[in-house]
Amino acid sequence: MEKRPTAFFYTHGVFFVWLCLAASASCDELALSFYSASCPSAELMVRNTVRSASDMDPTIPGKLLRLLFHDCFVEGCDASVLLQGTGTERSDPANTSLGGFSVIDSAKRLLEIFCPGTVSCADIVALAARDAVEVAGGPVVQIPTGRRDGKVSAASNVRPNIVDTSFTMDEMIKLFSSKGLSFDDLVTLSGAHTIGSAHCSAFSDRFQQDSKGKLKLVDTSLDNAYAGELMRQCPAGANPSPTVKIDPNTSFAFDNQYYQNLIAHRGLFQSDSVLLNDDRTRKLVESLAQDQVIFFESWAQSFLKLASIGVKTGEEGEIRASCPITNA
């Protein structure tokens, strides 16, 4: 995919990145400080909402980051995942475990008081995910805004467009490539798993239940001691499915521990482990595991590409008055 020129520099603890993908609709209409005249405090209000919610619930950053992935990979970054109703993306079983909606709604209510009809839900989702990384100790990244909210949200579009935790490397490469994302983006954005949690059912394919009802490891790429911990946390037949931290070492910190876990064969999902096992991605995994600064630099660039997938601008979308419903 053609890339337009990228500006990338680091100053005063902030990563500034400007990159626009040719495949992103009307991407030229996105701009840094898009709301500088129409709602100067927009980004600050989102940031404060995210920080306040995260102070009360440390799981919020992981939820907001995952929400952006599920939004952008289906219909582009247009807040279509927020729409409620029968047959919407949000109603699909793959999205029932998503969280962070209340944080987005809180930010939107505040923005509607001070800047009615101005800031899109799509921008709030992107900014909230950006801020969630910062709150968790990750890099501060400046991203352009000006996204419009989509009017289409279909559950049937979800499964073909999101990564399943059992995916092979080839399956992930095909999906990421269809979104304009590279090998490096795949490895870097997988680093989002440094925060967040997962239901045991999401990695049950790595175990098998024996005749006595106990679990045994069938995926030999997984560290035995780690597998034992997972089996203790995820007993066979547990209902509802318990949750475990994706990164058990620093579960609430956005850092490069995820890659160190991969090298130790302690990646939670099969889709994590294949990053180390595949020759095409192993070297980058090792590099990011050794140097957190390199990870943060890579993250800044790949995150911007993620947040620019299929954006709608101008007449292509709307500014919803309420994020869960389209305007009348």
Side-chain angles (χ1 to χ4, degrees):
M1 173 165 294
E2 176 190 356
K3 288 184 183 179
R4 298 183 183 177
T6 302
F8 174 65
F9 58 95
Y10 176 84
T11 181
H12 302 299
V14 182
F15 287 95
F16 291 87
V17 189
W18 176 246
L19 176 150
C20 196
L21 300 181
S24 296
S26 302
C27 194
D28 283 331
E29 296 179 31
L30 295 183
L32 294 171
S33 304
F34 181 86
Y35 298 109
S36 59
S38 59
C39 190
S41 298
E43 294 196 23
L44 179 62
M45 284 189 271
V46 174
R47 179 179 286 109
N48 287 343
T49 302
V50 170
R51 187 172 294 279
S52 177
S54 300
D55 286 344
M56 293 186 291
D57 180 359
T59 69
I60 287 296
K63 292 175 180 177
L64 291 173
L65 191 50
R66 183 171 178 235
L67 190 62
L68 179 69
F69 273 85
H70 281 241
D71 182 37
C72 293
F73 266 58
V74 184
E75 293 291 343
C77 305
D78 66 349
S80 55
V81 74
L82 304 181
L83 292 173
Q84 292 180 326
T86 304
T88 61
E89 294 171 31
R90 191 165 170 176
S91 70
D92 187 86
N95 283 338
T96 54
S97 62
L98 289 178
F101 296 103
S102 61
V103 181
I104 305 300
D105 290 340
S106 294
K108 179 61 173 175
R109 284 194 296 270
L110 183 63
L111 287 161
E112 285 300 304
I113 292 172
F114 292 97
C115 312
T118 302
V119 181
S120 69
C121 300
D123 273 343
I124 296 172
V125 172
L127 291 169
R130 185 272 307 270
D131 296 336
V133 170
E134 177 189 347
V135 166
V140 183
V141 182
Q142 296 297 321
I143 63 172
T145 46
R147 299 164 188 79
R148 290 275 178 153
D149 298 325
K151 301 177 183 180
V152 175
S153 182
S156 59
N157 291 336
V158 174
R159 296 306 178 95
N161 286 291
I162 61 172
V163 173
D164 187 275
T165 55
S166 64
F167 268 15
T168 64
M169 178 59 73
D170 287 340
E171 287 173 320
M172 288 197 293
I173 289 171
K174 181 179 179 181
L175 179 58
F176 272 65
S177 178
S178 72
K179 309 301 176 186
L181 301 172
S182 66
F183 277 101
D184 287 0
D185 296 322
L186 167 57
V187 177
T188 300
L189 292 172
S190 294
H193 286 168
T194 189
I195 54 176
S197 59
H199 286 277
C200 294
S201 56
F203 52 90
S204 60
D205 57 320
R206 311 191 82 173
F207 303 94
Q208 189 175 62
Q209 194 169 340
D210 63 21
S211 59
K212 297 180 180 179
K214 293 185 177 181
L215 294 177
K216 64 178 181 179
L217 180 64
V218 294
D219 187 340
T220 56
S221 68
L222 203 59
D223 174 73
N224 282 330
Y226 181 52
E229 293 173 20
L230 293 176
M231 287 188 282
R232 283 190 292 274
Q233 295 180 67
C234 301
N239 189 28
S241 178
T243 59
V244 300
K245 301 293 189 295
I246 301 177
D247 172 6
N249 298 82
T250 56
S251 55
F252 297 123
F254 192 92
D255 54 22
N256 68 334
Q257 181 64 47
Y258 165 78
Y259 300 101
Q260 297 173 29
N261 293 343
L262 294 188
I263 290 175
H265 300 283
R266 296 168 70 90
L268 184 62
F269 306 125
Q270 177 180 305
S271 57
D272 292 323
S273 295
V274 295
L275 297 177
L276 178 69
N277 300 335
D278 195 287
D279 291 338
R280 293 168 290 184
T281 50
R282 183 185 302 112
K283 286 186 178 180
L284 183 55
V285 169
E286 293 171 344
S287 176
L288 299 182
Q290 292 169 3
D291 195 326
Q292 184 162 283
V293 172
I294 293 177
F295 169 46
F296 282 4
E297 290 175 351
S298 296
W299 175 266
Q301 297 181 71
S302 294
F303 180 82
L304 180 58
K305 291 175 70 175
L306 168 67
S308 299
I309 294 173
V311 296
K312 297 172 177 63
T313 58
E315 297 301 315
E316 297 167 332
E318 63 181 6
I319 305 294
R320 290 182 209 147
S322 176
C323 291
I325 56 174
T326 57
N327 295 338

mmCIF file of all heavy atoms in Angstrom, residues 54-91:
data_model
loop_
_atom_site.group_PDB
_atom_site.id
_atom_site.type_symbol
_atom_site.label_atom_id
_atom_site.label_comp_id
_atom_site.label_asym_id
_atom_site.label_seq_id
_atom_site.Cartn_x
_atom_site.Cartn_y
_atom_site.Cartn_z
ATOM 1 N N SER A 54 -9.861 5.552 34.854
ATOM 2 C CA SER A 54 -8.772 4.602 35.076
ATOM 3 C C SER A 54 -8.316 4.607 36.523
ATOM 4 O O SER A 54 -7.877 3.578 37.050
ATOM 5 C CB SER A 54 -7.597 4.924 34.147
ATOM 6 O OG SER A 54 -7.983 4.859 32.787
ATOM 7 N N ASP A 55 -8.393 5.769 37.170
ATOM 8 C CA ASP A 55 -8.036 5.847 38.584
ATOM 9 C C ASP A 55 -8.977 4.994 39.432
ATOM 10 O O ASP A 55 -8.566 4.394 40.425
ATOM 11 C CB ASP A 55 -8.096 7.305 39.073
ATOM 12 C CG ASP A 55 -6.919 8.134 38.570
ATOM 13 O OD1 ASP A 55 -5.928 7.533 38.117
ATOM 14 O OD2 ASP A 55 -7.016 9.379 38.625
ATOM 15 N N MET A 56 -10.240 4.940 39.024
ATOM 16 C CA MET A 56 -11.222 4.145 39.763
ATOM 17 C C MET A 56 -11.196 2.672 39.376
ATOM 18 O O MET A 56 -11.509 1.802 40.177
ATOM 19 C CB MET A 56 -12.627 4.718 39.538
ATOM 20 C CG MET A 56 -12.843 6.099 40.140
ATOM 21 S SD MET A 56 -14.554 6.661 39.999
ATOM 22 C CE MET A 56 -14.682 6.913 38.229
ATOM 23 N N ASP A 57 -10.804 2.387 38.128
ATOM 24 C CA ASP A 57 -10.790 1.013 37.626
ATOM 25 C C ASP A 57 -9.573 0.823 36.724
ATOM 26 O O ASP A 57 -9.572 1.272 35.584
ATOM 27 C CB ASP A 57 -12.077 0.731 36.845
ATOM 28 C CG ASP A 57 -12.133 -0.684 36.286
ATOM 29 O OD1 ASP A 57 -11.171 -1.457 36.482
ATOM 30 O OD2 ASP A 57 -13.145 -1.021 35.635
ATOM 31 N N PRO A 58 -8.522 0.167 37.212
ATOM 32 C CA PRO A 58 -7.290 0.030 36.426
ATOM 33 C C PRO A 58 -7.423 -0.852 35.192
ATOM 34 O O PRO A 58 -6.490 -0.924 34.384
ATOM 35 C CB PRO A 58 -6.302 -0.587 37.417
ATOM 36 C CG PRO A 58 -7.158 -1.277 38.435
ATOM 37 C CD PRO A 58 -8.397 -0.437 38.555
ATOM 38 N N THR A 59 -8.570 -1.509 35.008
ATOM 39 C CA THR A 59 -8.768 -2.319 33.803
ATOM 40 C C THR A 59 -9.246 -1.477 32.613
ATOM 41 O O THR A 59 -9.286 -1.973 31.485
ATOM 42 C CB THR A 59 -9.789 -3.449 34.046
ATOM 43 O OG1 THR A 59 -11.105 -2.895 34.218
ATOM 44 C CG2 THR A 59 -9.416 -4.272 35.270
ATOM 45 N N ILE A 60 -9.600 -0.223 32.878
ATOM 46 C CA ILE A 60 -10.157 0.636 31.826
ATOM 47 C C ILE A 60 -9.200 0.837 30.640
ATOM 48 O O ILE A 60 -9.637 0.742 29.480
ATOM 49 C CB ILE A 60 -10.597 1.997 32.408
ATOM 50 C CG1 ILE A 60 -11.878 1.833 33.249
ATOM 51 C CG2 ILE A 60 -10.833 3.027 31.309
ATOM 52 C CD1 ILE A 60 -13.094 1.382 32.462
ATOM 53 N N PRO A 61 -7.916 1.122 30.839
ATOM 54 C CA PRO A 61 -7.040 1.331 29.669
ATOM 55 C C PRO A 61 -7.042 0.165 28.692
ATOM 56 O O PRO A 61 -7.123 0.370 27.476
ATOM 57 C CB PRO A 61 -5.658 1.542 30.307
ATOM 58 C CG PRO A 61 -5.964 2.167 31.634
ATOM 59 C CD PRO A 61 -7.198 1.446 32.098
ATOM 60 N N GLY A 62 -6.976 -1.063 29.208
ATOM 61 C CA GLY A 62 -6.998 -2.221 28.323
ATOM 62 C C GLY A 62 -8.299 -2.326 27.551
ATOM 63 O O GLY A 62 -8.308 -2.688 26.363
ATOM 64 N N LYS A 63 -9.394 -1.984 28.193
ATOM 65 C CA LYS A 63 -10.704 -2.043 27.537
ATOM 66 C C LYS A 63 -10.829 -0.992 26.439
ATOM 67 O O LYS A 63 -11.364 -1.264 25.359
ATOM 68 C CB LYS A 63 -11.811 -1.855 28.578
ATOM 69 C CG LYS A 63 -11.925 -3.016 29.565
ATOM 70 C CD LYS A 63 -12.948 -2.734 30.657
ATOM 71 C CE LYS A 63 -13.051 -3.911 31.624
ATOM 72 N NZ LYS A 63 -13.993 -3.641 32.740
ATOM 73 N N LEU A 64 -10.343 0.201 26.689
ATOM 74 C CA LEU A 64 -10.437 1.270 25.693
ATOM 75 C C LEU A 64 -9.553 0.980 24.484
ATOM 76 O O LEU A 64 -9.927 1.272 23.340
ATOM 77 C CB LEU A 64 -10.044 2.606 26.323
ATOM 78 C CG LEU A 64 -11.022 3.165 27.352
ATOM 79 C CD1 LEU A 64 -10.432 4.406 28.024
ATOM 80 C CD2 LEU A 64 -12.369 3.490 26.716
ATOM 81 N N LEU A 65 -8.395 0.397 24.731
ATOM 82 C CA LEU A 65 -7.506 0.063 23.625
ATOM 83 C C LEU A 65 -8.114 -1.031 22.757
ATOM 84 O O LEU A 65 -8.080 -0.963 21.526
ATOM 85 C CB LEU A 65 -6.150 -0.378 24.187
ATOM 86 C CG LEU A 65 -4.993 -0.536 23.197
ATOM 87 C CD1 LEU A 65 -4.850 0.684 22.301
ATOM 88 C CD2 LEU A 65 -3.702 -0.811 23.953
ATOM 89 N N ARG A 66 -8.683 -2.037 23.386
ATOM 90 C CA ARG A 66 -9.321 -3.122 22.633
ATOM 91 C C ARG A 66 -10.524 -2.598 21.848
ATOM 92 O O ARG A 66 -10.792 -3.025 20.721
ATOM 93 C CB ARG A 66 -9.754 -4.223 23.597
ATOM 94 C CG ARG A 66 -10.359 -5.443 22.907
ATOM 95 C CD ARG A 66 -10.574 -6.586 23.874
ATOM 96 N NE ARG A 66 -11.189 -7.717 23.200
ATOM 97 C CZ ARG A 66 -12.313 -8.307 23.589
ATOM 98 N NH1 ARG A 66 -12.946 -7.891 24.672
ATOM 99 N NH2 ARG A 66 -12.808 -9.327 22.921
ATOM 100 N N LEU A 67 -11.244 -1.643 22.425
ATOM 101 C CA LEU A 67 -12.417 -1.074 21.761
ATOM 102 C C LEU A 67 -12.023 -0.417 20.442
ATOM 103 O O LEU A 67 -12.731 -0.553 19.432
ATOM 104 C CB LEU A 67 -13.076 -0.055 22.693
ATOM 105 C CG LEU A 67 -14.447 0.485 22.279
ATOM 106 C CD1 LEU A 67 -15.485 -0.627 22.214
ATOM 107 C CD2 LEU A 67 -14.898 1.573 23.263
ATOM 108 N N LEU A 68 -10.888 0.275 20.425
ATOM 109 C CA LEU A 68 -10.432 0.906 19.193
ATOM 110 C C LEU A 68 -10.112 -0.137 18.127
ATOM 111 O O LEU A 68 -10.492 0.026 16.958
ATOM 112 C CB LEU A 68 -9.199 1.769 19.451
ATOM 113 C CG LEU A 68 -8.622 2.449 18.205
ATOM 114 C CD1 LEU A 68 -9.569 3.536 17.691
ATOM 115 C CD2 LEU A 68 -7.245 3.032 18.471
ATOM 116 N N PHE A 69 -9.436 -1.215 18.501
ATOM 117 C CA PHE A 69 -9.128 -2.272 17.544
ATOM 118 C C PHE A 69 -10.402 -2.819 16.911
ATOM 119 O O PHE A 69 -10.494 -2.970 15.691
ATOM 120 C CB PHE A 69 -8.381 -3.418 18.242
ATOM 121 C CG PHE A 69 -6.892 -3.237 18.300
ATOM 122 C CD1 PHE A 69 -6.310 -2.497 19.311
ATOM 123 C CD2 PHE A 69 -6.069 -3.808 17.345
ATOM 124 C CE1 PHE A 69 -4.934 -2.327 19.381
ATOM 125 C CE2 PHE A 69 -4.694 -3.646 17.397
ATOM 126 C CZ PHE A 69 -4.116 -2.912 18.419
ATOM 127 N N HIS A 70 -11.389 -3.122 17.742
ATOM 128 C CA HIS A 70 -12.623 -3.720 17.235
ATOM 129 C C HIS A 70 -13.435 -2.716 16.424
ATOM 130 O O HIS A 70 -14.210 -3.119 15.554
ATOM 131 C CB HIS A 70 -13.450 -4.279 18.395
ATOM 132 C CG HIS A 70 -12.956 -5.605 18.879
ATOM 133 N ND1 HIS A 70 -13.725 -6.744 18.848
ATOM 134 C CD2 HIS A 70 -11.756 -5.980 19.390
ATOM 135 C CE1 HIS A 70 -13.019 -7.773 19.325
ATOM 136 N NE2 HIS A 70 -11.824 -7.316 19.666
ATOM 137 N N ASP A 71 -13.268 -1.436 16.694
ATOM 138 C CA ASP A 71 -13.959 -0.435 15.882
ATOM 139 C C ASP A 71 -13.284 -0.297 14.523
ATOM 140 O O ASP A 71 -13.933 -0.397 13.479
ATOM 141 C CB ASP A 71 -13.962 0.918 16.602
ATOM 142 C CG ASP A 71 -14.722 1.978 15.823
ATOM 143 O OD1 ASP A 71 -15.757 1.635 15.205
ATOM 144 O OD2 ASP A 71 -14.294 3.149 15.822
ATOM 145 N N CYS A 72 -11.973 -0.087 14.531
ATOM 146 C CA CYS A 72 -11.270 0.248 13.289
ATOM 147 C C CYS A 72 -11.185 -0.914 12.309
ATOM 148 O O CYS A 72 -11.187 -0.697 11.096
ATOM 149 C CB CYS A 72 -9.868 0.756 13.612
ATOM 150 S SG CYS A 72 -9.865 2.340 14.490
ATOM 151 N N PHE A 73 -11.116 -2.136 12.813
ATOM 152 C CA PHE A 73 -10.983 -3.274 11.906
ATOM 153 C C PHE A 73 -12.292 -3.611 11.197
ATOM 154 O O PHE A 73 -12.295 -4.343 10.215
ATOM 155 C CB PHE A 73 -10.455 -4.496 12.669
ATOM 156 C CG PHE A 73 -8.962 -4.651 12.615
ATOM 157 C CD1 PHE A 73 -8.130 -3.636 13.071
ATOM 158 C CD2 PHE A 73 -8.378 -5.791 12.103
ATOM 159 C CE1 PHE A 73 -6.755 -3.752 13.019
ATOM 160 C CE2 PHE A 73 -6.997 -5.922 12.039
ATOM 161 C CZ PHE A 73 -6.180 -4.903 12.493
ATOM 162 N N VAL A 74 -13.404 -3.084 11.697
ATOM 163 C CA VAL A 74 -14.707 -3.338 11.072
ATOM 164 C C VAL A 74 -15.310 -1.989 10.658
ATOM 165 O O VAL A 74 -15.574 -1.146 11.503
ATOM 166 C CB VAL A 74 -15.664 -4.055 12.048
ATOM 167 C CG1 VAL A 74 -16.979 -4.403 11.358
ATOM 168 C CG2 VAL A 74 -15.012 -5.302 12.633
ATOM 169 N N GLU A 75 -15.481 -1.764 9.391
ATOM 170 C CA GLU A 75 -16.051 -0.517 8.857
ATOM 171 C C GLU A 75 -15.139 0.691 9.020
ATOM 172 O O GLU A 75 -15.540 1.817 8.735
ATOM 173 C CB GLU A 75 -17.413 -0.198 9.522
ATOM 174 C CG GLU A 75 -18.528 -1.165 9.203
ATOM 175 C CD GLU A 75 -18.995 -1.096 7.760
ATOM 176 O OE1 GLU A 75 -18.686 -0.104 7.083
ATOM 177 O OE2 GLU A 75 -19.647 -2.044 7.312
ATOM 178 N N GLY A 76 -13.915 0.503 9.501
ATOM 179 C CA GLY A 76 -13.009 1.626 9.708
ATOM 180 C C GLY A 76 -13.254 2.300 11.051
ATOM 181 O O GLY A 76 -14.167 1.948 11.800
ATOM 182 N N CYS A 77 -12.434 3.300 11.357
ATOM 183 C CA CYS A 77 -12.514 3.995 12.655
ATOM 184 C C CYS A 77 -13.665 5.000 12.624
ATOM 185 O O CYS A 77 -13.462 6.210 12.444
ATOM 186 C CB CYS A 77 -11.200 4.706 12.950
ATOM 187 S SG CYS A 77 -9.743 3.638 12.905
ATOM 188 N N ASP A 78 -14.877 4.495 12.806
ATOM 189 C CA ASP A 78 -16.062 5.350 12.649
ATOM 190 C C ASP A 78 -17.074 5.192 13.778
ATOM 191 O O ASP A 78 -18.230 5.624 13.653
ATOM 192 C CB ASP A 78 -16.747 5.056 11.309
ATOM 193 C CG ASP A 78 -17.341 3.652 11.249
ATOM 194 O OD1 ASP A 78 -17.053 2.821 12.154
ATOM 195 O OD2 ASP A 78 -18.092 3.368 10.296
ATOM 196 N N ALA A 79 -16.642 4.582 14.895
ATOM 197 C CA ALA A 79 -17.506 4.398 16.064
ATOM 198 C C ALA A 79 -18.720 3.519 15.776
ATOM 199 O O ALA A 79 -19.696 3.548 16.527
ATOM 200 C CB ALA A 79 -17.963 5.745 16.628
ATOM 201 N N SER A 80 -18.662 2.716 14.718
ATOM 202 C CA SER A 80 -19.787 1.816 14.422
ATOM 203 C C SER A 80 -19.937 0.744 15.492
ATOM 204 O O SER A 80 -21.030 0.216 15.697
ATOM 205 C CB SER A 80 -19.602 1.167 13.049
ATOM 206 O OG SER A 80 -18.348 0.507 12.944
ATOM 207 N N VAL A 81 -18.868 0.442 16.228
ATOM 208 C CA VAL A 81 -18.927 -0.575 17.277
ATOM 209 C C VAL A 81 -19.739 -0.090 18.482
ATOM 210 O O VAL A 81 -20.177 -0.904 19.308
ATOM 211 C CB VAL A 81 -17.500 -0.971 17.726
ATOM 212 C CG1 VAL A 81 -16.864 0.128 18.582
ATOM 213 C CG2 VAL A 81 -17.505 -2.294 18.483
ATOM 214 N N LEU A 82 -19.977 1.208 18.568
ATOM 215 C CA LEU A 82 -20.725 1.758 19.705
ATOM 216 C C LEU A 82 -22.235 1.662 19.533
ATOM 217 O O LEU A 82 -22.977 1.761 20.512
ATOM 218 C CB LEU A 82 -20.352 3.233 19.927
ATOM 219 C CG LEU A 82 -18.878 3.580 20.131
ATOM 220 C CD1 LEU A 82 -18.739 5.086 20.366
ATOM 221 C CD2 LEU A 82 -18.275 2.794 21.288
ATOM 222 N N LEU A 83 -22.684 1.494 18.293
ATOM 223 C CA LEU A 83 -24.122 1.518 18.025
ATOM 224 C C LEU A 83 -24.826 0.311 18.625
ATOM 225 O O LEU A 83 -24.394 -0.827 18.449
ATOM 226 C CB LEU A 83 -24.378 1.582 16.519
ATOM 227 C CG LEU A 83 -23.961 2.883 15.836
ATOM 228 C CD1 LEU A 83 -24.106 2.771 14.321
ATOM 229 C CD2 LEU A 83 -24.785 4.049 16.364
ATOM 230 N N GLN A 84 -25.898 0.572 19.334
ATOM 231 C CA GLN A 84 -26.682 -0.486 19.971
ATOM 232 C C GLN A 84 -27.827 -0.912 19.073
ATOM 233 O O GLN A 84 -28.273 -0.164 18.204
ATOM 234 C CB GLN A 84 -27.223 -0.008 21.322
ATOM 235 C CG GLN A 84 -26.161 0.215 22.371
ATOM 236 C CD GLN A 84 -26.738 0.692 23.688
ATOM 237 O OE1 GLN A 84 -27.726 1.424 23.736
ATOM 238 N NE2 GLN A 84 -26.135 0.265 24.791
ATOM 239 N N GLY A 85 -28.310 -2.132 19.315
ATOM 240 C CA GLY A 85 -29.458 -2.617 18.568
ATOM 241 C C GLY A 85 -29.242 -4.016 18.038
ATOM 242 O O GLY A 85 -28.108 -4.501 17.955
ATOM 243 N N THR A 86 -30.333 -4.668 17.683
ATOM 244 C CA THR A 86 -30.268 -6.011 17.132
ATOM 245 C C THR A 86 -29.505 -6.013 15.811
ATOM 246 O O THR A 86 -29.768 -5.187 14.937
ATOM 247 C CB THR A 86 -31.688 -6.567 16.900
ATOM 248 O OG1 THR A 86 -32.422 -6.514 18.127
ATOM 249 C CG2 THR A 86 -31.623 -7.997 16.387
ATOM 250 N N GLY A 87 -28.563 -6.917 15.677
ATOM 251 C CA GLY A 87 -27.830 -7.053 14.431
ATOM 252 C C GLY A 87 -26.688 -6.082 14.237
ATOM 253 O O GLY A 87 -26.082 -6.045 13.168
ATOM 254 N N THR A 88 -26.357 -5.278 15.260
ATOM 255 C CA THR A 88 -25.223 -4.353 15.156
ATOM 256 C C THR A 88 -23.927 -5.077 15.523
ATOM 257 O O THR A 88 -23.944 -6.179 16.078
ATOM 258 C CB THR A 88 -25.401 -3.155 16.100
ATOM 259 O OG1 THR A 88 -25.467 -3.644 17.451
ATOM 260 C CG2 THR A 88 -26.667 -2.379 15.770
ATOM 261 N N GLU A 89 -22.797 -4.447 15.228
ATOM 262 C CA GLU A 89 -21.497 -5.009 15.595
ATOM 263 C C GLU A 89 -21.438 -5.321 17.094
ATOM 264 O O GLU A 89 -20.907 -6.349 17.518
ATOM 265 C CB GLU A 89 -20.376 -4.024 15.246
ATOM 266 C CG GLU A 89 -20.183 -3.772 13.770
ATOM 267 C CD GLU A 89 -19.211 -2.636 13.510
ATOM 268 O OE1 GLU A 89 -18.281 -2.435 14.332
ATOM 269 O OE2 GLU A 89 -19.375 -1.931 12.494
ATOM 270 N N ARG A 90 -21.972 -4.425 17.864
ATOM 271 C CA ARG A 90 -21.912 -4.566 19.327
ATOM 272 C C ARG A 90 -22.656 -5.799 19.810
ATOM 273 O O ARG A 90 -22.339 -6.358 20.867
ATOM 274 C CB ARG A 90 -22.490 -3.300 19.961
ATOM 275 C CG ARG A 90 -22.277 -3.168 21.458
ATOM 276 C CD ARG A 90 -22.568 -1.740 21.884
ATOM 277 N NE ARG A 90 -22.615 -1.568 23.325
ATOM 278 C CZ ARG A 90 -22.775 -0.400 23.945
ATOM 279 N NH1 ARG A 90 -22.895 0.702 23.224
ATOM 280 N NH2 ARG A 90 -22.811 -0.329 25.258
ATOM 281 N N SER A 91 -23.636 -6.262 19.044
ATOM 282 C CA SER A 91 -24.443 -7.414 19.450
ATOM 283 C C SER A 91 -23.791 -8.744 19.089
ATOM 284 O O SER A 91 -24.240 -9.798 19.545
ATOM 285 C CB SER A 91 -25.833 -7.336 18.806
ATOM 286 O OG SER A 91 -25.746 -7.564 17.401
#
